Amino acid sequence: MFAFHFFMSIPMGRFRKKWIEGKWPEHDEPHPPALPKYIHFQHLVMMFVLGFTGLAIRFPFIQNGRTTLRYVHYVAMVIVIATFIWRLWYAFASKRRDWRAFAITKRDVKSLLGVAAYYSFFSNSKPHTDKYNVMQKGTYLVFAMLMAVQALCGLALLEFWKIPFLGITPSSLLLGWWLAPMVGGVAMAVAWMRTLHYSITWIFIIVVTVHMYLSATEDIPVTLDFFGFGSHDEAEGDHGHETVPVPAEEG
Ligand code: HEM
Ligand code: HEM
C-alpha cells in the first residue's frame, strides 16, 4: 500500500520536485519550540515500548523474562501517562499553549475534500489553512482520544493489586460501578477492557504506521527538524506543492 502510494508520486511530479529538485513545502513557523519536540520523542519511545511489551504479554513469543516484560509495561505506562498529561498542560495551560493549532475550524472542514484529493493523488495542490492540515489535526485528536481510552482501560486491567488506603483494585474502582453490573461481574468487565485495550493497540499500530510513512515522504526537512537534526532554511524554499490559501470565514 505504501509502496503504491509512494510510486504514485513519480508520475504526479511530486517525487521529482521534492527528492530531485529539493523543493519542500514552505512553512509560516520555521522552527517549532523545543519542548513539544522533546515530548513527542519521549512519547514515541514509550509507545514503541508499550506496543512491543503489550504484544509480548498477549502472545508469548518471548518465553523468558515474562514478569520483566510486564514490569516494563507498567513502568512505561506510568511514564506515558505523565508525558500525555505534560503535553496537555503544554497545549492548554503553558505560556506557549498551542491547542488552537489542533482545533478544527469551518475553514478546515471546507478544505477536507481538497486535502483528501491531494493525498489520494486526484489533485497536486494541498489547501493551506493552518500549521496542520485538517487530516493532520484529525489524526492528532484521534491520537489524544485513543491515549485517554487506552490509559483508562489499561489501568482497569490491574486486578491483582490493591490501591493503598482505598483497599480495592483499580479494576473495581474503574469498572465496579458501571460496566461490572452490566456484564455480570468485575472479571467479565476486565475481559471486555482487555479486548478494547488490544483493539486500540492495533488502531495505534495502523495509524502510527501511516503517520510515520507520511512524515518520511511528505516533508523531510520538517521531520529532520522535528527530531532535532538540522533545520529547514526558508530562504531556499519554494512551495514543493502548490498551496491554495483557503479564504477566511467572514463575520
Ligand atoms: C496508556 C497507558 C497504558 C496502561 C495504563 C496500560 C496497562 C496495561 C495493563 C495493566 C496490562 C495488563 C498486563 C498484565 O496482564 O500483566 C496491559 C496489557 C497490554 N497492553 Fe497496555 N497499557 C497502556 C498502554 C498501552 C499501549 C499504548 C499499548 C499498545 C500500543 C498497549 C498494549 C497492550 C497489550 C497488547 C496488552 C496485552 C493485552 C492482552 O492480554 O490481550 N498498552 N496494559
Ligand atoms: C517513528 C515514529 C514517528 C515519527 C517519524 C513521527 C513524526 C512526526 C512529525 C515529523 C511530526 C511533526 C509534523 C509537523 O510539524 O508538520 C509529528 C507530529 C505529531 N506526532 Fe508523530 N511521529 C512518530 C510517532 C508518533 C506516535 C507514536 C504518536 C502518538 C501515538 C505521534 C503523535 C504525534 C502528534 C500528536 C503530533 C502533533 C504535534 C505534537 O505532538 O507536537 N507520533 N510526528
Side-chain angles (χ1 to χ4, degrees):
M1 188 180 92
F2 293 122
F4 177 70
H5 192 272
F6 190 63
F7 175 78
M8 279 302 290
S9 68
I10 301 175
M12 296 300 283
R14 286 185 210 169
F15 180 84
R16 176 177 48 75
K17 258 194 167 168
K18 287 178 182 168
W19 300 91
I20 300 175
E21 295 171 11
K23 290 179 182 167
W24 297 91
E26 268 181 20
H27 303 278
D28 307 333
E29 190 193 355
H31 301 294
L35 189 58
K37 293 188 202 171
Y38 174 73
I39 297 180
H40 176 269
F41 184 70
Q42 177 173 313
H43 182 78
L44 100 78
V45 173
M46 287 308 134
M47 290 299 285
F48 277 97
V49 171
L50 283 163
F52 180 79
T53 52
L55 289 175
I57 290 170
R58 184 172 183 113
F59 303 107
F61 56 80
I62 298 179
Q63 299 298 338
N64 298 325
R66 298 193 53 76
T67 313
T68 317
L69 281 173
R70 286 207 147 86
Y71 279 105
V72 174
H73 200 82
Y74 301 154
V75 172
M77 86 193 185
V78 173
I79 301 178
V80 98
I81 292 174
T83 316
F84 182 55
I85 295 173
W86 192 9
R87 189 63 178 87
L88 289 179
W89 165 82
Y90 183 88
F92 289 102
S94 76
K95 249 189 189 168
R96 309 195 66 161
R97 58 184 80 100
D98 65 349
W99 63 269
R100 274 176 219 279
F102 301 89
I104 296 178
T105 62
K106 271 191 193 164
R107 284 170 75 205
D108 283 319
V109 175
K110 274 190 189 162
S111 71
L112 181 62
L113 275 180
V115 175
Y118 169 81
Y119 283 122
S120 47
F121 294 107
F122 285 104
S123 143
N124 238 358
S125 59
K126 181 155 60 175
H128 195 70
T129 47
D130 292 323
K131 183 176 175 201
Y132 302 129
N133 68 53
V134 60
M135 283 172 68
Q136 281 179 297
K137 287 182 179 182
T139 309
Y140 302 152
L141 292 177
V142 166
F143 274 148
M145 284 185 286
L146 287 180
M147 256 327 278
V149 179
Q150 187 75 334
L152 284 173
C153 62
L155 291 173
L157 297 182
L158 295 169
E159 52 186 336
F160 39 79
W161 171 76
K162 286 200 169 123
I163 307 171
F165 305 114
L166 287 182
I168 54 168
T169 62
S171 309
S172 314
L173 182 71
L174 289 166
L175 308 172
W177 50 277
W178 66 284
L179 191 61
M182 282 200 284
V183 294
V186 173
M188 277 305 286
V190 169
W192 278 102
M193 287 300 114
R194 198 175 284 280
T195 308
L196 182 61
H197 198 71
Y198 181 61
S199 312
I200 295 179
T201 298
W202 279 104
I203 302 178
F204 265 125
I205 292 173
I206 294 165
V207 183
V208 168
T209 308
V210 175
H211 176 70
M212 279 162 59
Y213 163 77
L214 288 175
S215 75
T217 54
E218 273 307 304
D219 202 337
I220 283 284
V222 155
T223 303
L224 289 177
D225 185 82
F226 200 66
F227 284 89
F229 301 106
S231 61
H232 49 279
D233 189 352
E234 287 304 294
E236 283 175 18
D238 176 6
H239 269 64
H241 56 76
E242 292 159 41
T243 49
V244 190
V246 175
E249 210 35 54
E250 275 169 38

